[in-house]
Amino acid sequence: MPTITYRDALNHALREEMQRDDRVFLMGEEVGVYQGAYKVSKGMLQEFGEMRVVDTPITELGFAGVGVGAAMVGLRPIIEFMTWNFALLALDQVVNSAAKMLYMSGGQYPMAMVFRGPNGAALQLSAQHSQAWESWLAHIPGLKVVAPGTPYDAKGLLKSAIRDDNPVIVLEGEMLYNTKGDVPDSEEVLVPLGKAEVKREGSDVSLITWGKMVLVAQQAAEQLAKENISAEIVDLRTLRPMDVEAIAASVSKTNRAVVVEEGWAVAGVGAHVADFVQRECFDDLDAPVLRVHQEDVPMPYAKNLERAAKPDAKKTVAAAKKVLYLDT
Amino acid sequence: MAEKKASDQNGATGSVETAARGDAALRRDLLRQMLLIRRFEERCAEAYAIGKIGGFCHLYIGQEGVGVGAISTLRDDDYVITSYREHGQAIARGMAPRAVMAELFGRVDGCSKGKGGSMHLFDRNLNFLGGHGIVGAHLPIATGVGFAIKYRGGDQVCVCFFGEAAVNNGAFHEALNMAALWKLPVIYLIENNRYGMGTALERASAINDIAERACSYDMPNEVVDGQDVLAVRAATMRALQRARSDSIPTLLEVRTYRFMGHSMSDAVSGTYRTKEELEEHMKRDPIVVLRLMMEQGDGWTEADTSKLDDEVKAVVQDAWDFADASPEPPIEALYEDLLVDTTS
């Protein structure tokens, strides 16, 4: 099976879906001539032409709205945000237009479109460029939200997102673009939206996570294994709709849960997971649910402070030991 | 702006002005539409006062010539998108007064099944892309509709209505810039009723001739008398021709006046405009302007007006009765139309 980067997996997904359906087009800043700010759309302008790979002015609200309008009349836009940090300018279109159009029109206007781009922190990009927005987006009824952590899931989720007849948010990871993984090229890779995957089987503690934090959870699980602690990794993959059955199945096995998320704790996605677990898995729990997350500060620039602010394997190991009462 | 040759909606050729003027039958139909909207809106005010309509309710009284004039020039396959003051435009586009009133009453037979209300009237069959409630937000959406038309190689046009207050919003700039940059068939139609809620244009915009904003985008533009429905038709037809044949967008500044408050909770005159100013503007009622023209040129009589008025009042009464009898949406509808459960 070929090993490819997360970046190439996304590129293949975009190209395969644009070859499959000529209503699909890609629009955003630097997607064409520049070949993508992160080279995700490399070669696509040459393959599909400038009507289907559309460079925009730096105008997030504007081109997100262009995508909404095109979707209203039957095209299937993929709107790329150079990063989700810039997408804050476009949130009115994502939230007030894309997410609500079907509902407030009484079912007349489905919004088959994708908003995608890198989410979360990279390295030393400081406060305005290092933020994880999933709790903001997963909050909104009418959206679907996915956060792939591996090249396979990146390809499969993006392809499913493009085929879905609803607005789908795809949260990629700048730090994931160069990561590699097995992705078959002999078969169609489609990952269903709303389905979690157990990335590592375990029996002592459930690490519930998504997106870039799947890597952190894997590092933590390796370290825990050295201490004979068996961690199970539940990769949610989709945050809305959330595969709560997968969470319940894992917690019923391990009786302990740690949520590992990239964003801030207050009103975070992890709070929603913890709410579900305490309500639906109460009798299974042997310890309170703990959360690993970014410290409650804007991302600092200095290397040491940035490291301290981010969730990491060490913090995850500590949380896992705490729910196992091994932290004394 | 120089007069250009255009085909009118009946396929005959003539000057735009001649086509815009139409014949006596067309003028009668324009008068009927404006009168219907006027009577409809008056009954909306009444329904609001007794609690049959809730939420925000923005009436179109005084501005009928704008929506009726512009929409009367469109083809069925063109698109209309607008803001939250859109009852009149919906009716002008052909939406049944029954479906509009039922929506306002929050009933299942409403055009949006009672889910949208006054600010969110939609009709897919009429390419009526909705009332939108965030000032300026539907302007980039209109640009996107224009993009889709061009993407498919069609010759439709999207007409986008909005109030003059939206020109101070970033979305206006972003939408018009891209439409001009990419040459998209969109008509951005400012309904300049002089007040953004209670803030006068000159208290909100650094320039008062807001059609000139189009110069920033090298976009054709025109100032139009919105109280003259035929002038609105002529200007829209000129813009349509540019859009259809050359895919060039236009900014129309249509000057009109709101005879009512911003919404039902706002006094007709009040802190931000005087009774005298209001009365002065009400002298140029678009319905009266056209009626006088018809009395002078078409042999139209007072009795004709009276008969037409009775006819539209009956249509509005029928809409009211229909809405009143329509059931509330079933409680199961709460979770319906949240997501589509298919993939393509």
Side-chain angles (χ1 to χ4, degrees):
Chain A
M1 195 183 290
T3 298
I4 64 172
T5 61
Y6 188 98
R7 169 186 289 111
D8 286 343
L10 292 167
N11 177 275
H12 296 174
L14 292 170
R15 287 167 60 184
E16 286 174 20
E17 293 308 304
M18 283 178 61
Q19 287 158 5
R20 179 178 177 268
D21 186 342
D22 62 14
R23 296 170 299 174
V24 180
F25 68 92
L26 176 68
M27 174 175 278
E29 294 155 3
E30 310 291 5
V31 297
V33 173
Y34 194 87
Q35 306 284 294
Y38 295 101
K39 307 301 175 204
V40 170
S41 54
K42 190 175 178 187
M44 289 181 60
L45 175 65
Q46 289 69 19
E47 182 175 352
F48 298 103
E50 61 184 16
M51 205 64 213
R52 297 188 69 197
V53 180
V54 187
D55 281 325
T56 66
I58 300 175
T59 167
E60 282 80 9
L61 174 68
F63 67 75
V66 169
V68 168
M72 282 191 88
V73 296
L75 297 185
R76 303 178 74 87
I78 303 165
I79 300 300
E80 175 174 315
F81 294 121
M82 193 180 290
T83 94
W84 277 95
N85 296 290
F86 309 158
L88 287 204
L89 289 158
L91 275 194
D92 178 56
Q93 289 296 342
V94 176
V95 174
N96 272 321
S97 299
K100 300 189 172 89
M101 203 72 77
L102 181 72
Y103 194 82
M104 68 184 184
S105 69
Q108 295 182 78
Y109 284 100
M111 301 299 298
M113 65 186 304
V114 170
F115 296 100
R116 51 162 286 271
N119 175 57
L123 289 173
Q124 286 195 283
L125 298 181
S126 188
Q128 293 180 335
H129 284 69
S130 312
Q131 302 168 96
W133 295 113
E134 52 264 47
S135 68
W136 288 45
L137 296 156
H139 189 59
I140 310 298
L143 297 178
K144 294 185 179 183
V145 181
V146 304
T150 67
Y152 183 94
D153 288 339
K155 182 171 184 184
L157 287 170
L158 180 54
K159 281 170 68 80
S160 295
I162 295 168
R163 293 186 192 189
D164 199 278
D165 287 335
N166 299 289
V168 184
I169 306 294
V170 180
L171 302 171
E172 302 162 5
E174 187 180 334
M175 299 301 289
L176 291 172
Y177 286 136
N178 278 335
T179 60
K180 290 182 177 172
D182 293 340
V183 183
D185 56 6
S186 54
E187 61 188 77
E188 184 110 272
V189 175
L190 287 168
V191 173
L193 306 186
K195 288 286 172 207
E197 184 179 65
V198 174
K199 285 286 196 290
R200 178 187 177 111
E201 299 265 356
S203 54
D204 295 333
V205 56
S206 298
L207 303 179
I208 299 162
T209 191
W210 59 89
K212 193 195 331 178
M213 292 298 107
V214 172
L215 298 184
V216 169
Q218 282 167 339
Q219 291 163 10
E222 291 294 325
Q223 291 175 30
L224 288 164
K226 288 175 189 155
E227 300 180 50
N228 290 320
I229 297 167
S230 168
E232 175 150 301
I233 298 174
V234 180
D235 177 3
L236 293 178
R237 301 196 292 194
T238 302
L239 300 174
R240 177 185 270 271
M242 190 179 282
D243 187 355
V244 289
E245 289 83 6
I247 296 172
S250 182
V251 173
S252 72
K253 190 164 78 170
T254 64
N255 311 114
R256 293 170 168 86
V258 172
V259 187
V260 188
E261 64 191 305
E262 191 175 1
W264 295 296
V266 177
V269 172
H272 182 68
V273 174
D275 163 67
F276 169 80
V277 171
Q278 63 82 24
R279 195 159 16 84
E280 300 297 330
C281 312
F282 188 76
D283 292 334
D284 290 326
L285 283 177
D286 286 342
V289 178
L290 289 188
R291 296 170 61 198
V292 179
H293 49 78
Q294 185 186 324
E295 297 298 324
D296 200 19
V297 293
M299 191 63 81
Y301 168 73
K303 270 186 188 168
N304 64 324
L305 294 180
E306 184 187 49
R307 243 190 329 267
K310 285 177 171 175
D312 62 12
K314 190 177 166 197
K315 292 176 183 176
T316 305
V317 166
K321 287 185 175 176
K322 192 161 185 184
V323 298
L324 285 155
Y325 302 108
L326 295 171
D327 59 334
T328 48
Chain B
M1 182 162 294
E3 186 177 293
K4 292 181 183 177
K5 297 288 179 187
S7 294
D8 71 15
Q9 296 304 293
N10 301 317
T13 49
S15 73
V16 167
E17 272 65 25
T18 305
R21 277 190 62 78
D23 56 16
L26 176 113
R27 290 188 286 273
R28 182 192 181 279
D29 187 53
L30 296 171
L31 184 69
R32 183 185 181 280
Q33 285 190 51
M34 290 196 291
L35 207 50
L36 172 62
I37 293 166
R38 176 69 54 89
R39 298 303 178 219
F40 186 93
E41 295 290 64
E42 287 167 356
R43 295 303 299 279
C44 285
E46 182 188 333
Y48 194 89
I50 59 174
K52 286 191 181 290
I53 298 175
F56 292 135
C57 185
H58 310 87
L59 302 181
Y60 204 51
I61 292 174
Q63 302 180 213
E64 295 92 339
V66 187
V68 168
I71 291 171
S72 68
T73 66
L74 302 183
R75 294 192 327 218
D76 289 348
D77 62 344
D78 290 327
Y79 296 95
V80 175
I81 188 165
T82 181
S83 71
Y84 47 80
R85 192 182 303 284
E86 90 283 36
H87 309 167
Q89 291 141 357
I91 290 170
R93 186 56 175 163
M95 214 187 282
R98 282 181 165 196
V100 180
M101 194 67 90
E103 188 61 34
L104 303 183
F105 280 28
R107 304 303 172 87
V108 73
D109 295 305
C111 58
S112 304
K113 296 189 199 167
K115 294 275 195 67
S118 168
M119 295 186 284
H120 306 302
L121 306 175
F122 289 84
D123 193 327
R124 194 179 182 93
N125 293 326
L126 296 171
N127 282 348
F128 192 79
L129 299 167
H132 296 263
I134 309 295
V135 171
H138 64 292
L139 277 69
I141 298 177
T143 305
V145 174
F147 177 84
I149 292 168
K150 188 161 190 173
Y151 188 94
R152 291 189 167 120
D155 72 338
Q156 302 105 303
V157 175
C158 179
V159 176
C160 175
F161 293 90
F162 52 98
E164 86 292 336
V167 307
N168 303 311
N169 180 307
F172 169 86
H173 163 64
E174 298 187 20
L176 270 70
N177 181 54
M178 280 187 283
L181 179 69
W182 295 336
K183 290 194 165 50
L184 303 178
V186 183
I187 300 173
Y188 299 93
L189 193 157
I190 307 168
E191 296 202 55
N192 179 2
N193 68 14
R194 304 176 52 87
Y195 292 94
M197 205 166 161
T199 302
L201 169 67
E202 52 274 16
R203 294 179 58 227
S205 175
I207 60 170
N208 294 339
D209 291 315
I210 50 180
E212 291 178 9
R213 300 269 189 141
C215 301
S216 303
Y217 318 108
D218 196 22
M219 187 184 287
N221 63 91
E222 193 173 341
V223 177
V224 188
D225 175 6
Q227 305 312 86
D228 178 355
V229 66
L230 302 179
V232 175
R233 274 175 56 82
T236 310
M237 288 167 87
R238 283 188 285 272
L240 275 175
Q241 188 183 28
R242 276 191 292 274
R244 270 203 225 294
S245 51
D246 303 315
S247 199
I248 292 173
T250 295
L251 179 66
L252 293 181
E253 180 194 342
V254 184
R255 291 185 176 171
T256 183
Y257 198 80
R258 156 160 67 68
F259 292 178
M260 303 292 284
H262 166 71
S263 69
M264 289 307 300
S265 55
D266 177 29
V268 173
S269 58
T271 57
Y272 62 89
R273 62 180 187 183
T274 62
K275 193 159 168 282
E276 291 70 33
E277 179 189 308
L278 179 68
E279 284 169 358
E280 190 59 32
H281 278 280
M282 287 176 81
K283 290 178 187 162
R284 291 208 73 237
D285 183 323
I287 294 173
V288 176
V289 169
L290 179 63
R291 179 171 59 75
L292 291 176
M293 227 184 289
M294 289 166 65
E295 285 173 1
Q296 283 156 19
D298 295 343
W300 186 260
T301 66
E302 213 171 294
D304 291 330
T305 301
S306 173
K307 197 174 148 208
L308 195 61
D309 201 23
D310 289 345
E311 183 197 321
V312 299
K313 278 179 175 167
V315 171
V316 176
Q317 184 61 48
D318 170 74
W320 178 298
D321 294 341
F322 174 83
D324 219 16
S326 174
E328 291 182 321
I331 207 70
E332 306 85 74
L334 185 62
Y335 275 88
E336 286 171 2
D337 297 323
L338 179 59
L339 294 167
V340 180
D341 60 1
T342 57
T343 57
S344 300

